[in-house]
Amino acid sequence: MRTLEKIKQASLITAIKTPYLANGEIDLAKYDELVEIQIAAGVDGIVVGGTTGEGQLMNWEEHLMLIAHSANKYGDKLVIVGNTGSNNTREAIKATKYGFSSGMDAALQINPYYGRTSIAGVKEHFKRVLDIGPAFIYNVAGRTGQDLTPDIIEPLAQHEHFIGVKECGGNERIAHYEQQGIACWSGNDDESHDARHTYKAHGVISVTSNLIPGLFRQLMDTKSDDLNASLQPLMNWLFCEPNPIAINTAMMMTGAVNPVFRLPYLPLSNEQQKIGLPLINQLNEADVVGGKAQSLNLANVLTLS
């Protein structure tokens, strides 16, 4: 297992997509292809079964299998972050213990969502899961309905297993944390270049790097306002619907994965695809996972429960 300091050196972490077979089961062969592409592009780590990887649509057997598979096969090449968070503290503890037993380097932990609790309850939830092993805390108020403000994060940062924050609360907050020595990874792809080079973030945990990992490697390594500006329309399109709808559609448009959705996710409409098509195809084909994009025939897309 990597040390906390080693994990903190990972500036580009991809929230890896989970691909499916026509029967709706996880396509491990295709998953391995996607991970190998990420490695070749210089990505430092992956989040397994995150929101983008649709951990929320997996049962725990699938979820923990994928973490174990990733750690066993790629643990020597990538930082393996397992999303073992839950709004149920008991489940989060159990999944996190299994994840570390399977060889993951770190957990991604989220505050209880939907069944929200008190601030005291949030702090105790995180303390219990941090006690198990190294963890990123994920703050995404748009999904949890509860912002993890500095008065919550700053005391947690004293825990020996606290790595840092995947922060969706904006770059000013990232700068505030980094000035105190609290490591941050941007959770907003469109802000991540500036987060890294202006606000001193450690890096990004990215959705878009599923599609263009090499270009995101450049964004994290070198300040390039021109490259960042050129990719903004694509990044905005990839969040035109709740993630991971658009990244799924995009990777099906390029042929990177089979056209299979697990409900309740459905592909982007024909009109939405028409907006994204030129944004993908204006890029160098070699920079895009799957290559040149074409519109999906929605009649051929499988949507499985």
Side-chain angles (χ1 to χ4, degrees):
M1 185 181 294
R2 292 171 173 84
T3 65
L4 264 66
E5 289 310 312
K6 188 69 175 176
I7 294 169
K8 287 181 181 181
Q9 293 173 20
S11 59
L12 176 55
I13 301 172
T14 296
I16 194 77
K17 181 196 163 26
T18 303
Y20 302 113
L21 297 166
N23 63 2
E25 297 300 313
I26 294 172
D27 186 344
L28 275 180
K30 181 61 69 175
Y31 177 84
D32 287 347
E33 286 181 23
L34 297 180
V35 174
E36 293 285 358
I37 290 169
Q38 295 291 314
I39 292 169
V43 168
D44 301 306
I46 54 174
V47 173
V48 182
T51 306
T52 307
E54 299 178 25
Q56 62 274 16
L57 303 188
M58 296 178 191
N59 59 44
W60 278 115
E61 289 79 8
E62 290 177 312
H63 203 147
L64 292 167
M65 176 279 294
L66 199 57
I67 291 171
H69 172 80
S70 302
N72 179 61
K73 193 159 187 176
Y74 301 111
D76 61 333
K77 301 180 180 71
L78 294 167
V79 174
I80 305 297
V81 183
N83 169 30
T84 56
S86 174
N87 63 343
N88 178 333
T89 306
R90 186 181 182 88
E91 282 196 353
I93 289 170
K94 186 176 181 179
T96 300
K97 287 180 177 178
Y98 276 123
F100 281 119
S101 295
S102 299
M104 70 182 187
D105 293 294
L108 182 70
Q109 302 288 358
I110 196 163
N111 52 306
Y113 45 88
Y114 185 71
R116 289 171 51 188
T117 185
S118 63
I119 298 302
V122 168
K123 290 179 179 178
E124 188 62 25
H125 171 88
F126 281 129
K127 180 185 179 301
R128 297 293 178 95
V129 291
L130 279 165
D131 284 344
I132 301 167
F136 294 83
I137 303 300
Y138 184 14
N139 181 36
V140 55
R143 290 187 181 272
T144 66
Q146 189 172 32
D147 188 18
L148 297 177
T149 49
D151 62 303
I152 298 171
I153 292 295
E154 287 166 9
L156 288 172
Q158 304 305 312
H159 195 288
E160 62 176 336
H161 291 149
F162 178 94
I163 299 169
V165 187
K166 178 185 177 183
E167 181 59 72
C168 295
N171 285 341
E172 294 293 339
R173 184 176 289 178
I174 286 174
H176 169 77
Y177 286 143
E178 288 284 358
Q179 287 165 7
Q180 299 181 63
I182 297 174
C184 284
W185 285 258
S186 177
N188 298 329
D189 283 353
D190 60 332
E191 297 179 347
S192 64
H193 170 269
D194 291 351
R196 172 78 166 154
H197 299 291
T198 303
Y199 296 90
K200 308 307 179 185
H202 276 54
V204 64
I205 298 178
S206 175
V207 175
T208 307
S209 57
N210 277 283
L211 187 66
I212 49 170
L215 294 178
F216 247 80
R217 181 72 274 168
Q218 292 179 44
L219 282 182
M220 290 300 102
D221 288 348
T222 307
K223 190 175 190 301
S224 176
D225 293 333
D226 289 345
L227 178 60
N228 184 47
S230 72
L231 294 175
Q232 288 295 314
L234 174 62
M235 288 189 274
N236 289 334
W237 176 73
L238 286 172
F239 292 89
C240 67
E241 295 285 6
N243 183 53
I245 293 169
I247 191 66
N248 282 351
T249 305
M251 295 182 76
M252 293 170 194
M253 290 168 69
T254 66
V257 299
N258 295 322
V260 181
F261 276 79
R262 279 187 178 182
L263 287 167
Y265 299 126
L266 292 171
L268 295 179
S269 67
N270 288 325
E271 292 73 20
Q272 289 169 315
Q273 289 184 51
K274 287 177 183 176
I275 296 170
L277 193 65
L279 298 177
I280 298 171
N281 287 339
Q282 72 182 0
L283 300 173
N284 186 324
E285 190 172 338
D287 289 328
V288 179
V289 175
K292 188 175 177 62
Q294 56 185 349
S295 294
L296 287 176
N297 182 340
L298 295 179
N300 294 332
V301 177
L302 296 176
T303 53
L304 306 173
S305 57

